[in-house]
Amino acid sequence: MKKRKLLSLTLAGAMVLGSLAACGEKTPDPTPTPEAVEATYDNVKSADVIIVGAGGGGLSAAISAVDAGAKSVIIIERTGVTGGGLNYTSGTMSGAETIIQELDGIEDTKESYVQDILKNGAQKGNEEMIRTYVDEDVDAINWLWENGLNDNDFTMQGEKRSVFAPEHALYSIQRSYKAKPHDATKYKSAAHEVLDQYITENCPQVTIDFNTTATALLGNEQGQVLSVAAVGADGKTTLYTAEKGVIMATGGYSGNKKLMGEYAEYGSEYLAGGSTAAADGVGIRMMQLVGAKVDPETMGYIPTFPMGYDRGDGTGAIAPSYTWKAGGICVNQEGKRFVDETEDAVEIREVALEEQTNAIQYDIFTDKIIADLQANKASTFWDFFYSEGKPYSNAVVTASSLEELAEKLGMPAENLKATVEEYNSHVKSGETDEFGRQFTQDSLNTYNLAINEISGDKFYAVPLKALCVMTLGGVTTNTDTQVLDESGNVIPGLYAVGECVGGIWGKFVSGGTGVMGPIAFGRIAGRHVMANTPATGVAVKAASYVLDESLFPELKVGGNKTDASFDMSKTLADGEYEATVDGQEGTMTVKTTIADGKIAKVEVTENHETASIGGPALESVPDAIVAANSVTVDAVSGATLTSNRIASAVQQCLEQAAK
């Protein structure tokens, strides 16, 4: 593990903690009066409960707080949409002793669920927190069912909604649920859809302030953390103060490569499978600045998928070729194998890839292997993503020899040739190799469909990287979701749920807990924040271990411009121009019309962006580019990647027009 940067702070005064200077606000005096503090902000708002983050945890906490009697709840949301990490997930849920299992005739126990989670987390999880989750989770699942989930379509196994989910280690019994949202253009997760619509239809007490970024937690004269400083997209500041408590639901740090690189050797190379706009871990640091305990060990619990397609902008998508199922191999940047590719325990392949240079592997295969994959009806990913004309077909590297393939991949040819020769020798002899891969008819199964040598007239490679969609490190809470300091004491008024809480699940995440964990703990937080009265007389001070400020990208709030640029003083030929760039789940094509030497029209003719995320950018950025006659325009908050893709495509059109 790499050396971690620490920041030791001793802050005088219990009124204001955390620097706001980076966002352009004045840094308050350390011991001002409440009136003086409020005067430093453009706006002041108050509510019974303040929640930071409108993901699954924040939404469920708001509903629970209202059910417990809250008359007013304000959610501060950095992006322009609700959902948080639920916008980047398949939405798989899990739970034991649920109404869904009952209807499917499946007998399960909470105890079995607890033991499976502990086992899947390499026995590193917090058993007390896991048991609390499992108890609450069954009620959360049943609540979702009663409030609309019972009307959703599910991915079925036979006639059962309760299924095994192979993307993670399998549970000992069917307790995963893959509900499909009704409106797939707006939601990726059915749970998100239910929560969102419930608040809209039943919770007038809840207000969501979108495009608003929390910048600091503030302690008051009584030692209670009940206020949040924030800044809007317009640069104006707001002081939010809660009567009962603040619930942090700010997510993890899967979008912060710099932070992941501090805790995993090649963490800075991991592809981000979630939000790069919001999953930066800054909420964890904010809580540390008012005393929250973070266990450094849990910050290194960063699970990945060994199957990430690199979109070229630091983000990725789960897109395995699965060619190894029919005889293909995986090699690292040095041209060497490093794992039994047919290992059915995904966490073993996951860790093995994380340890390779730059966390990258190359799937090596031939035409015969593709043919056998298709013959065994296991080519869905290949056919959908990588075959000719498909969205990721440009990633397939083709060569007429291993030497040529190695050159194109930038690896030693002698290593790749030796690796293939050694592998082929085991295929011929049928002897198990050094990684435990077997080559007999008896060894054939769903992970080992065919036995083939790496030989033929053509050789192919698909590069894949470790893909991170969630992180498991963060602050420490008790089972009531109250944030604890380094002495194990409750920080009065402060609660936390979701990915910003560390040490719950262990080293690896269990299927469905990424969706249901925040929702279940959000329900608990909403109840307890209304039931508890924050203690007084506790000095508010920063923890001794605080994540270094340098680990966080500069906070971009308002005036965040697109990355593209073009010298508009150049002469542009009138006409229509078209350019295609990589997009979210496929390519994006943009047509740009030049008239009288200026940008007259920008039209996105094809895109595969997630509507709930990229929609606002698709609607506004083309018009903004025309109005400014420039590709350097304001990016849409929460849709920065889509904004940049549009601007980049227009830039390419302008370059065509300038030739």
Side-chain angles (χ1 to χ4, degrees), residues 126 129 475-479 481-484 495-497 501-502 504:
N126 183 320
M129 291 291 286
V475 303
T476 305
T477 71
N478 60 20
T479 55
T481 75
Q482 295 171 299
V483 179
L484 305 180
Y495 298 76
V497 299
V501 181
I504 297 177

Side-chain angles (χ1 to χ4, degrees), residues 8 27 116 187 281 299 305 307 385 401 412 430 545 562 566 602:
S8 297
T27 302
D116 279 356
Y187 299 100
M299 293 297 291
F305 288 95
M307 54 189 76
F385 287 123
S401 68
Y545 165 45
T562 53
F566 184 82
V602 173

Side-chain angles (χ1 to χ4, degrees), residues 422-499:
E422 175 67 17
Y423 174 79
N424 286 346
S425 71
H426 286 280
V427 174
K428 292 175 182 177
S429 69
E431 295 178 353
T432 301
D433 68 17
E434 61 182 301
F435 302 104
R437 184 165 179 170
Q438 298 180 349
F439 303 92
T440 64
Q441 290 298 314
D442 291 342
S443 69
L444 296 181
N445 54 50
T446 56
Y447 283 82
N448 188 17
L449 298 168
I451 300 169
N452 280 303
E453 293 183 31
I454 306 295
S455 61
D457 296 328
K458 290 200 178 219
F459 299 89
Y460 304 94
V462 169
L464 294 170
K465 299 190 73 173
L467 175 74
C468 182
V469 299
M470 68 181 301
T471 51
L472 304 179
V475 303
T476 305
T477 71
N478 60 20
T479 55
D480 291 345
T481 75
Q482 295 171 299
V483 179
L484 305 180
D485 65 18
E486 291 174 317
S487 297
N489 299 316
V490 169
I491 298 175
L494 186 60
Y495 298 76
V497 299
E499 272 188 72

